Amino acid sequence: MTSLDDLPLRNDLRGQRPYGAPQLRVPVALNVNENTHPIPEAVAHDIVAAVARAILTVNRYPDREFTTLRESLAGYLGHGLTADNIWAANGSNEVLQQILQAFGGPGRTLLGFVPTYSMYPILAAGTVTGWIAAERDADYEISPATAAEQVRSNAPDVVFLCSPNNPTGTPLSLETIESVYDATDAMVVVDEAYAEFAPDGTPSALTLLPGRERLIVSRTMSKAFAFAGVRLGYLAADPAVTDALRLVRLPYHLSALTQGAATAALAHADEMLAMVDDIRQQRDRLVIELKRLGYVPHRTASNFVLFGGVDDPKAVFEALLAEGILVRDPGIENHLRVSVGTKPETTAFLDALERLGTPQTGRPGPNRLEP
């Protein structure tokens, strides 16, 4: 049988590994930051009806400009945005890929602050864009001074800022974003995939868009909207940016079914986002309980918690898996990451972790109170 080494693969892709988290069937899957809450039934019926209507049109190509969807996304985001400011694709990964196709490429570089979303260097490799791994401050923070210095010294063509950061959950201040923008002539992309999980009143980078034609804010419906299986990511930017992305997008890249489902979901935004408060509550519970068990959870504004103090991450990962609970080993020494689940899922994870014993003593921790 032919192996990968037998094929005329691009030299720069040899030895690379594809993105991948374990896809295992377990009772409690908390490893890929999905929204584990189901879509409300009444909303699901409306989405199904929208998809059914779209099915009747699939003998024709879909609206290449996905105008209705862009108008709906602009209405959801607010901030005075219009359809001209909006772009969408099959998940935010494709949005980011198209940005690199337009503004990266051979001889150009992308800078990100590590540890960060593991797809960034993979997208860079796929678009033949050089990857620059910039450093963070202590506890995975990025101050305005650190950000500006790293950008000035590396002179990238594109900067990705993950806000809040994956896999650490670290929030990012608007001051840091502004410092990066002012320190470079590069395209600055703020990846706000988890923005809806931030505390109420947290300002979005969307507020910085006016007058900043090189600033892009990327979002997704995968997380807060519980739409991971639909694959719909989008961005807001100056209309010139969306014009640039039209040069690299594939024809009719958003299917009629995707457009119909996403537009219907946005019409029920309030109901779709009603589960966010419960997710925040369980996230805060995880932080409190992980501390009590002797672990070191990091500051997070997302739907997951990175926690340190894990003496043997592989052993803990396997022990949890043996109990039907799947978490994520992010490759950070002495750390694991757990997505926020429903209350029963969160309880199952905490109960299993408690049975393993506290990291300092190996003995069961004290009984905890249910929220």
Side-chain angles (χ1 to χ4, degrees):
M1 185 174 67
T2 300
S3 72
L4 188 60
D5 291 337
D6 298 322
L7 298 176
L9 188 68
R10 277 173 23 199
N11 289 334
D12 61 303
L13 294 181
R14 292 194 180 278
Q16 298 286 336
R17 289 187 176 185
Y19 173 86
Q23 292 194 104
L24 304 175
R25 291 188 177 274
V26 294
V28 181
L30 301 174
N31 67 321
V32 289
N33 303 339
E34 295 161 318
N35 186 334
T36 63
H37 295 63
I39 293 173
E41 185 174 355
V43 178
H45 287 312
D46 278 357
I47 294 172
V48 169
V51 172
R53 289 192 295 272
I55 283 285
L56 299 176
T57 72
V58 296
N59 60 308
R60 301 287 188 179
Y61 286 117
D63 176 9
R64 186 174 59 242
E65 294 300 313
F66 45 98
T67 307
T68 300
L69 175 57
R70 286 165 52 223
E71 290 172 346
S72 297
L73 287 166
Y76 166 68
L77 290 179
H79 295 283
L81 298 169
T82 71
D84 290 339
N85 298 109
I86 304 299
W87 189 253
N90 295 284
S92 58
N93 287 325
E94 186 175 66
V95 170
L96 298 175
Q97 181 183 59
Q98 290 176 345
I99 291 170
L100 291 180
Q101 287 175 316
F103 301 107
R108 297 190 175 194
T109 56
L110 163 67
L111 182 145
F113 292 83
V114 297
T116 193
Y117 184 32
S118 59
M119 272 302 298
Y120 294 164
I122 294 175
L123 291 169
T127 57
V128 199
T129 305
W131 167 247
I132 299 171
E135 297 180 356
R136 292 174 174 265
D137 297 316
D139 296 324
Y140 309 117
E141 304 283 344
I142 313 176
S143 70
T146 294
E149 191 280 326
Q150 293 271 4
V151 169
R152 279 194 292 263
S153 63
N154 287 287
D157 297 282
V158 184
V159 179
F160 280 0
L161 300 170
C162 198
S163 175
N165 186 52
N166 179 12
T168 65
T170 317
L172 188 70
S173 71
L174 294 189
E175 291 76 17
T176 296
I177 297 169
E178 289 177 299
S179 73
V180 168
Y181 190 90
D182 292 342
T184 180
D185 292 327
M187 300 299 297
V188 177
V189 183
V190 183
D191 182 353
E192 289 192 339
Y194 301 94
E196 286 92 346
F197 300 108
D200 288 337
T202 301
S204 164
L206 293 168
T207 62
L208 300 178
L209 284 174
R212 294 181 174 90
E213 70 282 352
R214 292 180 288 104
L215 182 63
I216 300 172
V217 181
S218 172
R219 291 282 190 99
T220 182
M221 293 184 70
S222 292
K223 310 301 182 183
F225 273 84
F227 242 42
V230 175
R231 311 309 299 131
L232 197 289
Y234 59 102
L235 64 75
D238 188 274
V241 171
T242 63
D243 285 341
L245 299 185
R246 286 182 176 87
L247 301 175
V248 298
R249 60 101 178 266
L250 295 175
Y252 311 103
H253 69 290
L254 279 179
S255 77
L257 306 186
T258 299
Q259 293 183 42
T263 302
L266 288 162
H268 294 276
D270 289 343
E271 297 136 282
M272 293 288 280
L273 296 178
M275 63 193 86
V276 167
D277 284 341
D278 181 60
I279 293 170
R280 290 171 177 165
Q281 181 182 1
Q282 295 306 314
R283 176 193 65 202
D284 295 343
R285 177 188 173 201
L286 278 170
V287 170
I288 292 169
E289 292 297 327
L290 285 166
K291 286 180 180 177
R292 184 187 61 79
L293 290 172
Y295 294 96
V296 185
H298 292 276
R299 188 165 77 106
T300 178
S302 58
N303 71 333
F304 57 86
V305 179
L306 177 76
F307 60 100
V310 187
D311 293 336
D312 189 341
K314 182 177 180 181
V316 174
F317 176 93
E318 293 293 343
L320 290 170
L321 184 59
E323 298 210 27
I325 299 166
L326 183 60
V327 297
R328 187 69 175 267
D329 183 347
I332 301 173
E333 187 176 6
N334 301 124
H335 283 74
L336 288 172
R337 190 193 72 191
V338 59
S339 305
V340 179
T342 61
K343 181 178 178 180
E345 290 171 329
T346 303
T347 298
F349 163 73
L350 289 170
D351 285 348
L353 196 63
E354 188 161 16
R355 286 192 292 273
L356 295 179
T358 62
Q360 291 90 347
T361 66
R363 297 192 302 271
N367 292 333
R368 68 173 182 277
L369 298 176
E370 291 294 332

